[in-house]
C-alpha cells in the first residue's frame, strides 16, 4: 500500500469553478502535510504547508487535513487557466528533516 | 536569486553505460536532496545531504547509485551501470535549514535504452 494515495485524474473544470483535490495517507506518524504544484517540465513548487489537523487558507487556496480519517484536501476557488498543472500532496514525519513522501499527483486542467 | 539548477535536462544512454547527473543548489543552502520519479509512479526520496555529509541515504535503490557533494556545494549522482528501470526524472531540491521549504530544480529526464 502506498503511504500517500492520490487520484491521478485528469480533472477538467471550467474557469471559475471550485476545484477539490483529495488524498489519503496511511502512516499515522505523518505530522506535516503539503501541496505542491508542478507545471510541465518544471520541478514541484510548494503551494501549501500545514501541521496536523485543521484548515489553512492562502488567497484562493484552502488546505484541509483531517488526521482522524487520514484525509488531505486542497480547494481552489475561482479557478483560472493558469492553475492548470499537476498537484501533488505530500507528507513528512515530525522532527528531523523533511524526508517528503509524495502522492502520484492529480493533473488539473482549467478550461477558459 | 538563481534557483536550483540541474544538468543535463535530458540524457539518453544505453543499458550498461554510466551517467552522471549534476545539481547546483541555491547558494547558501546547506541541505540538498535527491528524488526520483519513475514512469507512472510517485516522486520518491533518494537521499539527503547536510553540507558534504550524507544525512540519510535510505532511499537509494542499490549500489549502482553513488551520490557525492564535495565541498558542500554542488552534488552529483552517478548511475553505473545504468539499467532500464533507472529511467525516470531525477529531481534535486535544496533548503536553507532542515526544517525549511525545499526548492526543487526542473529535473533531469534519464532514458536508458
Amino acid at each position: 500500500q502506498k503511504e500517500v494515495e492520490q487520484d491521478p485524474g485528469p480533472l477538467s473544470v471550467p474557469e471559475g469553478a471550485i476545484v477539490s483535490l483529495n488524498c489519503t495517507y496511511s502512516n499515522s506518524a505523518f505530522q506535516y502535510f503539503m501541496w505542491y504544484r508542478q507545471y510541465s517540465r518544471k520541478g514541484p513548487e510548494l503551494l501549501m504547508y500545514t501541521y496536523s489537523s485543521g484548515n489553512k487558507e492562502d488567497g484562493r487556496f484552502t488546505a484541509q487535513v483531517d488526521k482522524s480519517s487520514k484525509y488531505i484536501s486542497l480547494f481552489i476557488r475561482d479557478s483560472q487557466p493558469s492553475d492548470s498543472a499537476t498537484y501533488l500532496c505530500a507528507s513528512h514525519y515530525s522532527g528531523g528533516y523533511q524526508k517528503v513522501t509524495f502522492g502520484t499527483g492529480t493533473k488539473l486542467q482549467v478550461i477558459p | 536569486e538563481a534557483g536550483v539548477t540541474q544538468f543535463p535536462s535530458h540524457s539518453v544512454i544505453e543499458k550498461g553505460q554510466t551517467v552522471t547527473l549534476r545539481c547546483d543548489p541555491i547558494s547558501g543552502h546547506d541541505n540538498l536532496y535527491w528524488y526520483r520519479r519513475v514512469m507512472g509512479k510517485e516522486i520518491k526520496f533518494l537521499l539527503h545531504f547536510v553540507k558534504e555529509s550524507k544525512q540519510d541515504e535510505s532511499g537509494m535503490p542499490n549500489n549502482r547509485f553513488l551520490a557525492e557533494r564535495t565541498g558542500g556545494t554542488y552534488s552529483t549522482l552517478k548511475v553505473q551501470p545504468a539499467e532500464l528501470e533507472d529511467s525516470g526524472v531525477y529531481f534535486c531540491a535544496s533548503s536553507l535549514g532542515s526544517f525549511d521549504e525545499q526548492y526543487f530544480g526542473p529535473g533531469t529526464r534519464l532514458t536508458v535504452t
Side-chain angles (χ1 to χ4, degrees):
Chain A
Q1 181 187 13
K2 291 179 183 175
E3 290 189 286
V4 179
E5 296 272 6
Q6 187 174 7
D7 185 339
L11 180 63
S12 186
V13 302
E15 183 177 353
I18 296 174
V19 176
S20 173
L21 302 169
N22 306 293
C23 287
T24 58
Y25 67 95
S26 58
N27 193 331
S28 298
F30 286 148
Q31 294 286 336
Y32 295 86
F33 304 92
M34 296 84 79
W35 284 95
Y36 288 83
R37 178 175 60 195
Q38 185 178 17
Y39 292 112
S40 181
R41 303 290 178 177
K42 301 285 187 181
E45 170 194 17
L46 184 64
L47 196 59
M48 300 289 281
Y49 186 41
T50 56
Y51 170 71
S52 195
S53 284
N55 294 0
K56 184 173 183 178
E57 188 174 320
D58 185 0
R60 296 183 296 111
F61 299 89
T62 300
Q64 281 186 356
V65 177
D66 182 346
K67 291 198 72 182
S68 63
S69 59
K70 297 189 176 67
Y71 205 76
I72 311 165
S73 300
L74 178 70
F75 299 96
I76 307 174
R77 292 182 298 280
D78 187 25
S79 56
Q80 302 295 310
S82 58
D83 295 330
S84 297
T86 295
Y87 290 80
L88 306 157
C89 60
S91 300
H92 71 84
Y93 305 108
S94 178
Y97 60 92
Q98 293 188 36
K99 179 180 175 179
V100 180
T101 300
F102 286 90
T104 51
T106 300
K107 189 169 185 177
L108 171 68
Q109 184 178 19
V110 180
I111 301 170
Chain B
E1 178 186 273
V4 177
T5 57
Q6 293 186 245
F7 183 83
S9 57
H10 193 186
S11 179
V12 181
I13 61 171
E14 292 184 355
K15 176 181 171 181
Q17 289 186 323
T18 297
V19 64
T20 300
L21 314 181
R22 173 170 170 146
C23 168
D24 285 78
I26 293 172
S27 178
H29 280 195
D30 286 340
N31 293 266
L32 188 149
Y33 306 80
W34 283 98
Y35 293 86
R36 175 175 78 165
R37 181 173 193 153
V38 296
M39 182 68 73
K41 299 286 185 73
E42 67 275 19
I43 297 172
K44 283 195 171 181
F45 168 87
L46 295 178
L47 88 159
H48 169 216
F49 282 101
V50 177
K51 296 185 179 179
E52 67 274 11
S53 299
K54 291 176 186 174
Q55 182 75 16
D56 182 351
E57 52 185 329
S58 61
M60 295 288 264
N62 51 61
N63 60 10
R64 294 186 294 104
F65 289 76
L66 176 65
E68 293 180 323
R69 192 181 183 197
T70 307
T73 54
Y74 71 90
S75 174
T76 58
L77 180 64
K78 184 192 296 187
V79 185
Q80 178 182 29
E83 299 288 346
L84 298 178
E85 63 264 25
D86 300 332
S87 296
V89 182
Y90 289 76
F91 291 102
C92 174
S94 72
S95 67
L96 188 61
S98 297
F99 290 94
D100 294 327
E101 177 183 350
Q102 293 182 27
Y103 294 86
F104 282 77
T108 292
R109 185 173 298 274
L110 175 64
T111 303
V112 183
T113 63

